[in-house]
Amino acid sequence: MGEVFSSNGPTRVVPMDILKGILMIGIVLAHLELYDSPSRVGNPPTIVMMLYLGLPVFYIIAGYFYKPGRELKVNLRRVHKLLIALVITSVLSPTVTYVWFTLTGQPVELSDLFDSIVRAFWFEGLLGPVDSPMECLMCYVTQVNYFLWPMAAGLIIFFLSEKYIMKDNRRIAATIVLMLCLQMMFTAIYVRIPFYLQLCPMATAFIFLGALISKYDLFGRICSFDWRNYKYWLVFVVSAALSYILCSILPPGVYFDNLIFGDYGFWSVIPCFVEVSLVSIFLLYVAVILSKIPALSPVLSLTGRHTLSMALFHMMVAKMIMALFYKFSNDRWFPAELGSLDLLLIGLASIAICVAMGVLWWKCKKSHKLNRWFFQRTCTIYTR
């Protein structure tokens, strides 16, 4: 699967891959464990909120791997691949789920398929409240689309303007402030628009922040693991402490998907932005430490290289596994017989299958490139 937020080239940044891997594993398991849980009331423990803030860190990573000097068409081609993947899976994944459910005797209706596709593009409940209730749909398996559509839009905005804005840090700061103000406006209006673009300003602000961080190679310095230097660990301690203190005083909650960034309405956008920025540093340190564990590092690194595959297909794969053994209904996301341990095991199996799909796709694409190179080289020899 093509990644839009990865380290490319012959040498990968392993801790960054591990960071993406642990974040996506957390997202997959949270989707399976929490979707059928009772409505969330109040704020969870501070450490849980800190981990939850890892989700927007993907936007920062997307900006961090921006390469200055690339042509606009090259940059937009990366976004084009993401958009194509989103469009195809928004239609194909619910369709595959519908066919599988039909074959396994699930009580699924054709209207469920159509409604699931509409929701995948976020055309459902337009101009209604962002947090308006959504009925359970058996074929709805594109839960991460609400996050990926704004990422694609934010990258388009970034690539169209980066040659002007990235020249001056003051312009970057002004752009981030502008995007945060727009996000505050969208949060105050609080209506749903297509492709979940009400989240786009926040995504764009984080992308510019990631690009700003890359100018000073902050993440690269953290990944260098200068463990003998006390200043190296000082950054870790300060980022962890400030993250915990801020999340305790100004809790961001766990409603990022509903444009609820805290307890103070649209004003919470600002402290949430600061908290995510600090959490990104703290979590990268955790990833660097995990990268030094021989048995764990290769597994997490491999997982992090295929996060897009996991994001696009984890729910479809999980539901297909469930459909083999349990009956679905229209009043729950998952069969009632499934307990937390069952969902955990299904989640881990879904992660393994999605990573295998990503590896297979990458090998097929690489083989195609080698075959094309061989064909072109052969033609060149015979036409001399």
Side-chain angles (χ1 to χ4, degrees), residues 9-43:
T11 304
R12 298 188 67 92
V13 185
V14 174
M16 294 296 288
D17 283 334
I18 290 177
L19 174 59
K20 293 187 298 170
I22 59 178
L23 290 177
M24 188 53 66
I25 290 172
I27 292 170
V28 172
L29 297 181
H31 278 168
L32 292 173
E33 293 287 351
L34 300 179
Y35 247 67
D36 268 331
S37 64
S39 298
R40 294 166 284 181
V41 179
N43 291 316

Side-chain angles (χ1 to χ4, degrees), residues 59 146-147 149-157 179 182-183 186 193 195-207 259:
Y59 293 139
Y146 86 90
F147 181 85
W149 289 119
M151 172 179 278
L155 285 170
I156 291 173
I157 294 171
M179 290 299 158
L182 288 175
Q183 187 61 65
F186 276 111
I193 57 179
F195 305 108
Y196 222 86
L197 293 182
Q198 61 266 20
L199 193 56
C200 177
M202 187 65 119
T204 307
F206 281 126
I207 291 170
L259 296 194

Side-chain angles (χ1 to χ4, degrees), residues 245-259:
I245 293 171
L246 282 175
C247 288
S248 299
I249 299 173
L250 299 170
V254 288
Y255 293 90
F256 178 78
D257 52 331
N258 285 337
L259 296 194

Side-chain angles (χ1 to χ4, degrees), residues 274-318:
V274 176
E275 289 161 357
V276 171
S277 304
L278 291 170
V279 164
S280 68
I281 298 173
F282 161 68
L283 289 178
L284 182 55
Y285 268 95
V286 173
V288 171
I289 294 171
L290 292 176
S291 72
K292 304 306 175 183
I293 303 176
L296 196 58
S297 177
V299 176
L300 292 177
S301 178
L302 177 64
T303 304
R305 292 198 295 272
H306 300 285
T307 48
L308 187 57
S309 175
M310 292 168 60
L312 293 174
F313 299 117
H314 73 272
M315 189 60 74
M316 181 189 75
V317 172

Side-chain angles (χ1 to χ4, degrees), residues 108-328:
V108 64
E109 298 180 359
L110 192 59
S111 59
D112 187 289
L113 169 60
F114 293 143
D115 291 342
S116 297
I117 293 174
V118 169
R119 187 178 295 177
F121 291 95
W122 284 103
F123 290 152
E124 180 186 38
L126 294 181
L127 302 183
V130 174
D131 61 350
S132 56
M134 297 188 301
E135 62 176 320
C136 294
L137 297 173
M138 294 187 191
C139 298
Y140 179 56
V141 290
T142 54
Q143 276 78 358
V144 184
N145 279 23
Y146 86 90
F147 181 85
L148 293 176
W149 289 119
M151 172 179 278
L155 285 170
I156 291 173
I157 294 171
F158 174 78
F159 288 138
L160 289 176
S161 59
E162 56 89 13
K163 289 190 181 299
Y164 172 76
I165 294 175
M166 292 302 298
K167 292 179 180 179
D168 191 331
N169 287 350
R170 291 171 297 181
R171 295 177 184 175
I172 300 174
T175 302
I176 291 175
V177 170
L178 173 61
M179 290 299 158
L180 293 179
C181 289
L182 288 175
Q183 187 61 65
M184 292 167 68
M185 181 188 72
F186 276 111
T187 304
I189 297 173
Y190 207 67
V191 297
R192 191 178 295 164
I193 57 179
F195 305 108
Y196 222 86
L197 293 182
Q198 61 266 20
L199 193 56
C200 177
M202 187 65 119
T204 307
F206 281 126
I207 291 170
F208 272 104
L209 175 64
L212 176 62
I213 291 174
S214 71
K215 291 179 67 174
Y216 300 96
D217 195 28
L218 175 60
F219 285 177
R221 294 178 184 180
I222 294 174
C223 293
S224 67
F225 195 57
D226 187 14
W227 61 276
R228 288 190 174 92
N229 189 342
Y230 79 93
K231 293 181 179 178
Y232 177 85
W233 293 111
L234 182 62
V235 176
F236 173 58
V237 173
V238 170
S239 64
L242 287 179
S243 298
Y244 190 88
I245 293 171
L246 282 175
C247 288
S248 299
I249 299 173
L250 299 170
V254 288
Y255 293 90
F256 178 78
D257 52 331
N258 285 337
L259 296 194
I260 299 176
F261 302 98
D263 297 332
Y264 300 97
F266 62 85
W267 292 110
S268 295
V269 168
I270 297 174
C272 181
F273 180 83
V274 176
E275 289 161 357
V276 171
S277 304
L278 291 170
V279 164
S280 68
I281 298 173
F282 161 68
L283 289 178
L284 182 55
Y285 268 95
V286 173
V288 171
I289 294 171
L290 292 176
S291 72
K292 304 306 175 183
I293 303 176
L296 196 58
S297 177
V299 176
L300 292 177
S301 178
L302 177 64
T303 304
R305 292 198 295 272
H306 300 285
T307 48
L308 187 57
S309 175
M310 292 168 60
L312 293 174
F313 299 117
H314 73 272
M315 189 60 74
M316 181 189 75
V317 172
K319 282 194 171 186
M320 290 175 73
I321 294 173
M322 296 175 194
L324 291 172
F325 308 101
Y326 303 96
K327 284 289 183 183
F328 280 78

